[in-house]
Tab-separated table of all heavy atoms in Angstrom:
chain	number	residue	atom	x	y	z
A	1	THR	N	-1.871	20.677	-1.050
A	1	THR	CA	-2.219	20.285	0.274
A	1	THR	C	-3.305	19.192	0.179
A	1	THR	O	-3.281	18.177	0.874
A	1	THR	CB	-2.767	21.452	1.153
A	1	THR	OG1	-1.728	22.499	1.206
A	1	THR	CG2	-3.268	21.104	2.541
A	2	VAL	N	-4.393	19.464	-0.648
A	2	VAL	CA	-5.471	18.456	-0.859
A	2	VAL	C	-4.808	17.117	-1.327
A	2	VAL	O	-5.093	16.056	-0.759
A	2	VAL	CB	-6.522	18.907	-1.763
A	2	VAL	CG1	-7.447	17.839	-2.155
A	2	VAL	CG2	-7.220	20.233	-1.159
A	3	ASN	N	-3.882	17.169	-2.284
A	3	ASN	CA	-3.384	15.920	-2.769
A	3	ASN	C	-2.503	15.251	-1.684
A	3	ASN	O	-2.492	14.012	-1.526
A	3	ASN	CB	-2.516	16.188	-4.048
A	3	ASN	CG	-3.355	16.462	-5.215
A	3	ASN	OD1	-4.422	15.812	-5.408
A	3	ASN	ND2	-2.946	17.322	-6.007
A	4	ALA	N	-1.767	16.039	-0.964
A	4	ALA	CA	-0.959	15.401	0.164
A	4	ALA	C	-1.832	14.780	1.228
A	4	ALA	O	-1.490	13.671	1.741
A	4	ALA	CB	-0.044	16.491	0.800
A	5	LEU	N	-2.923	15.455	1.576
A	5	LEU	CA	-3.907	14.806	2.585
A	5	LEU	C	-4.523	13.503	2.012
A	5	LEU	O	-4.591	12.582	2.798
A	5	LEU	CB	-4.933	15.830	2.993
A	5	LEU	CG	-4.476	17.014	3.739
A	5	LEU	CD1	-5.548	17.986	3.966
A	5	LEU	CD2	-4.000	16.512	5.173
A	6	ALA	N	-4.796	13.539	0.711
A	6	ALA	CA	-5.332	12.300	0.141
A	6	ALA	C	-4.263	11.191	0.160
A	6	ALA	O	-4.583	9.980	0.388
A	6	ALA	CB	-5.894	12.632	-1.253
A	7	ALA	N	-3.039	11.520	-0.135
A	7	ALA	CA	-1.979	10.552	-0.102
A	7	ALA	C	-1.760	9.968	1.315
A	7	ALA	O	-1.483	8.771	1.446
A	7	ALA	CB	-0.593	11.188	-0.603
A	8	VAL	N	-1.900	10.795	2.334
A	8	VAL	CA	-1.801	10.288	3.676
A	8	VAL	C	-2.953	9.285	3.999
A	8	VAL	O	-2.668	8.244	4.579
A	8	VAL	CB	-1.794	11.406	4.777
A	8	VAL	CG1	-1.948	10.981	6.069
A	8	VAL	CG2	-0.503	12.270	4.602
A	9	ALA	N	-4.102	9.580	3.533
A	9	ALA	CA	-5.242	8.732	3.810
A	9	ALA	C	-5.110	7.434	2.997
A	9	ALA	O	-5.366	6.283	3.558
A	9	ALA	CB	-6.566	9.378	3.279
A	10	VAL	N	-4.592	7.475	1.804
A	10	VAL	CA	-4.365	6.265	1.007
A	10	VAL	C	-3.200	5.382	1.615
A	10	VAL	O	-3.303	4.138	1.709
A	10	VAL	CB	-4.106	6.670	-0.530
A	10	VAL	CG1	-3.521	5.339	-1.270
A	10	VAL	CG2	-5.400	7.181	-1.113
A	11	ALA	N	-2.208	6.129	2.038
A	11	ALA	CA	-0.986	5.431	2.768
A	11	ALA	C	-1.526	4.617	3.971
A	11	ALA	O	-1.065	3.574	4.203
A	11	ALA	CB	0.067	6.400	3.034
A	12	PHE	N	-2.395	5.340	4.719
A	12	PHE	CA	-2.872	4.711	5.977
A	12	PHE	C	-3.772	3.441	5.549
A	12	PHE	O	-3.553	2.306	6.242
A	12	PHE	CB	-3.856	5.660	6.738
A	12	PHE	CG	-4.474	4.975	7.838
A	12	PHE	CD1	-3.827	4.716	8.997
A	12	PHE	CD2	-5.851	4.711	7.832
A	12	PHE	CE1	-4.469	4.088	10.090
A	12	PHE	CE2	-6.561	4.097	8.881
A	12	PHE	CZ	-5.820	3.768	9.969
A	13	THR	N	-4.546	3.592	4.571
A	13	THR	CA	-5.385	2.399	4.092
A	13	THR	C	-4.535	1.281	3.601
A	13	THR	O	-4.745	0.111	3.859
A	13	THR	CB	-6.398	2.861	2.982
A	13	THR	OG1	-7.104	3.937	3.497
A	13	THR	CG2	-7.238	1.656	2.584
A	14	LEU	N	-3.454	1.697	2.897
A	14	LEU	CA	-2.533	0.669	2.354
A	14	LEU	C	-1.762	-0.068	3.562
A	14	LEU	O	-1.639	-1.283	3.489
A	14	LEU	CB	-1.390	1.351	1.512
A	14	LEU	CG	-0.366	0.467	0.917
A	14	LEU	CD1	-0.958	-0.679	0.005
A	14	LEU	CD2	0.605	1.360	0.045
A	15	ALA	N	-1.403	0.707	4.498
A	15	ALA	CA	-0.761	0.134	5.698
A	15	ALA	C	-1.620	-0.854	6.406
A	15	ALA	O	-1.152	-1.894	6.813
A	15	ALA	CB	-0.225	1.213	6.648
A	16	VAL	N	-2.790	-0.499	6.590
A	16	VAL	CA	-3.878	-1.457	7.165
A	16	VAL	C	-3.909	-2.646	6.437
A	16	VAL	O	-3.921	-3.794	7.031
A	16	VAL	CB	-5.223	-0.699	7.419
A	16	VAL	CG1	-6.286	-1.702	7.805
A	16	VAL	CG2	-5.128	0.428	8.425
A	17	ASN	N	-4.068	-2.643	5.088
A	17	ASN	CA	-4.117	-3.758	4.246
A	17	ASN	C	-2.849	-4.660	4.405
A	17	ASN	O	-2.957	-5.997	4.445
A	17	ASN	CB	-4.392	-3.488	2.801
A	17	ASN	CG	-5.821	-3.103	2.509
A	17	ASN	OD1	-6.750	-3.668	3.172
A	17	ASN	ND2	-6.022	-2.290	1.581
A	18	LEU	N	-1.683	-4.031	4.507
A	18	LEU	CA	-0.520	-4.821	4.597
A	18	LEU	C	-0.431	-5.501	5.907
A	18	LEU	O	0.372	-6.512	5.979
A	18	LEU	CB	0.738	-3.871	4.399
A	18	LEU	CG	0.826	-3.375	2.898
A	18	LEU	CD1	1.963	-2.389	2.750
A	18	LEU	CD2	1.025	-4.637	1.942
A	19	THR	N	-1.007	-5.019	6.924
A	19	THR	CA	-0.980	-5.767	8.254
A	19	THR	C	-1.587	-7.073	8.222
A	19	THR	O	-1.384	-7.825	9.212
A	19	THR	CB	-1.495	-4.828	9.388
A	19	THR	OG1	-2.878	-4.586	9.139
A	19	THR	CG2	-0.711	-3.571	9.551
A	20	ARG	N	-2.385	-7.313	7.276
A	20	ARG	CA	-3.056	-8.640	7.216
A	20	ARG	C	-2.219	-9.773	6.673
A	20	ARG	O	-2.613	-10.831	6.592
A	20	ARG	CB	-4.282	-8.473	6.301
A	20	ARG	CG	-5.306	-7.486	6.903
A	20	ARG	CD	-6.434	-7.286	6.038
A	20	ARG	NE	-7.377	-6.304	6.683
A	20	ARG	CZ	-8.352	-5.784	6.030
A	20	ARG	NH1	-8.690	-6.083	4.804
A	20	ARG	NH2	-9.173	-4.975	6.738
A	21	GLY	N	-0.943	-9.449	6.459
A	21	GLY	CA	0.065	-10.574	6.123
A	21	GLY	C	0.311	-10.787	4.679
A	21	GLY	O	1.108	-10.157	4.073
A	22	TRP	N	-0.474	-11.724	4.183
A	22	TRP	CA	-0.148	-12.132	2.732
A	22	TRP	C	-0.248	-11.017	1.615
A	22	TRP	O	0.493	-11.185	0.672
A	22	TRP	CB	-1.182	-13.284	2.344
A	22	TRP	CG	-0.791	-14.597	2.932
A	22	TRP	CD1	-1.487	-15.179	3.952
A	22	TRP	CD2	0.332	-15.396	2.570
A	22	TRP	NE1	-0.816	-16.403	4.222
A	22	TRP	CE2	0.225	-16.523	3.362
A	22	TRP	CE3	1.440	-15.253	1.706
A	22	TRP	CZ2	1.267	-17.487	3.326
A	22	TRP	CZ3	2.272	-16.262	1.665
A	22	TRP	CH2	2.291	-17.300	2.503
A	23	PRO	N	-1.000	-10.023	1.798
A	23	PRO	CA	-0.991	-8.978	0.777
A	23	PRO	C	0.393	-8.255	0.563
A	23	PRO	O	0.624	-7.618	-0.436
A	23	PRO	CB	-1.974	-7.958	1.190
A	23	PRO	CG	-3.026	-8.782	2.028
A	23	PRO	CD	-2.170	-9.814	2.684
A	24	VAL	N	1.341	-8.612	1.463
A	24	VAL	CA	2.669	-8.060	1.281
A	24	VAL	C	3.262	-8.672	-0.090
A	24	VAL	O	4.062	-8.009	-0.693
A	24	VAL	CB	3.594	-8.463	2.414
A	24	VAL	CG1	5.017	-8.164	2.164
A	24	VAL	CG2	3.086	-7.660	3.714
A	25	LEU	N	2.830	-9.857	-0.450
A	25	LEU	CA	3.216	-10.417	-1.703
A	25	LEU	C	2.821	-9.581	-2.886
A	25	LEU	O	3.511	-9.424	-3.890
A	25	LEU	CB	2.720	-11.879	-1.901
A	25	LEU	CG	3.349	-13.003	-0.958
A	25	LEU	CD1	2.565	-14.355	-1.206
A	25	LEU	CD2	4.856	-13.083	-1.263
A	26	SER	N	1.649	-9.016	-2.774
A	26	SER	CA	1.137	-8.135	-3.834
A	26	SER	C	1.978	-6.959	-3.957
A	26	SER	O	2.306	-6.426	-5.019
A	26	SER	CB	-0.384	-7.817	-3.551
A	26	SER	OG	-0.832	-6.987	-4.578
A	27	LEU	N	2.389	-6.358	-2.693
A	27	LEU	CA	3.289	-5.263	-2.806
A	27	LEU	C	4.652	-5.627	-3.386
A	27	LEU	O	5.201	-4.826	-4.186
A	27	LEU	CB	3.454	-4.692	-1.293
A	27	LEU	CG	4.486	-3.530	-1.238
A	27	LEU	CD1	3.816	-2.343	-1.983
A	27	LEU	CD2	4.690	-3.150	0.247
A	28	ALA	N	5.166	-6.751	-3.084
A	28	ALA	CA	6.409	-7.222	-3.624
A	28	ALA	C	6.286	-7.369	-5.115
A	28	ALA	O	7.179	-6.963	-5.878
A	28	ALA	CB	6.848	-8.540	-2.989
A	29	ALA	N	5.273	-7.928	-5.525
A	29	ALA	CA	5.054	-8.032	-7.079
A	29	ALA	C	4.901	-6.715	-7.744
A	29	ALA	O	5.470	-6.461	-8.810
A	29	ALA	CB	3.731	-8.920	-7.305
A	30	THR	N	4.240	-5.800	-7.145
A	30	THR	CA	4.048	-4.412	-7.565
A	30	THR	C	5.428	-3.694	-7.707
A	30	THR	O	5.804	-3.136	-8.760
A	30	THR	CB	3.125	-3.553	-6.755
A	30	THR	OG1	1.881	-4.233	-6.754
A	30	THR	CG2	2.964	-2.191	-7.265
A	31	VAL	N	6.187	-3.913	-6.745
A	31	VAL	CA	7.517	-3.250	-6.664
A	31	VAL	C	8.405	-3.887	-7.771
A	31	VAL	O	9.274	-3.218	-8.433
A	31	VAL	CB	8.179	-3.338	-5.337
A	31	VAL	CG1	9.627	-2.964	-5.259
A	31	VAL	CG2	7.407	-2.506	-4.340
A	32	ALA	N	8.431	-5.172	-7.931
A	32	ALA	CA	9.154	-5.923	-8.896
A	32	ALA	C	8.829	-5.456	-10.350
A	32	ALA	O	9.697	-5.212	-11.159
A	32	ALA	CB	8.993	-7.412	-8.781
A	33	ILE	N	7.522	-5.269	-10.595
A	33	ILE	CA	7.111	-4.877	-11.907
A	33	ILE	C	7.489	-3.444	-12.082
A	33	ILE	O	8.004	-3.061	-13.184
A	33	ILE	CB	5.617	-5.054	-12.110
A	33	ILE	CG1	5.245	-6.533	-12.096
A	33	ILE	CG2	5.028	-4.319	-13.282
A	33	ILE	CD1	3.769	-6.863	-11.924
A	34	ALA	N	7.316	-2.596	-11.118
A	34	ALA	CA	7.775	-1.196	-11.245
A	34	ALA	C	9.359	-1.119	-11.490
A	34	ALA	O	9.700	-0.243	-12.268
A	34	ALA	CB	7.367	-0.460	-9.958
A	35	ALA	N	10.009	-1.929	-10.818
A	35	ALA	CA	11.488	-1.866	-10.972
A	35	ALA	C	11.894	-2.316	-12.392
A	35	ALA	O	12.808	-1.748	-13.020
A	35	ALA	CB	12.208	-2.772	-9.947
A	36	ALA	N	11.190	-3.374	-12.844
A	36	ALA	CA	11.514	-3.808	-14.293
A	36	ALA	C	11.174	-2.758	-15.331
A	36	ALA	O	11.919	-2.480	-16.267
A	36	ALA	CB	10.745	-5.066	-14.508
């Protein structure tokens, strides 16, 4: 439960950062590296 609540908080923070536009490129790069 504690880990899940922390994950929700981090997901919210991540979502706020992604609304700023350009950081979506960072997410795309992270996903590309993870996929590789």
Side-chain angles (χ1 to χ4, degrees):
T1 302
V2 169
N3 285 323
L5 289 173
V8 169
V10 169
F12 175 76
T13 304
L14 178 61
V16 169
N17 280 331
L18 290 174
T19 62
R20 296 178 178 167
W22 283 110
V24 172
L25 288 177
S26 182
L27 179 64
T30 300
V31 169
I33 291 168

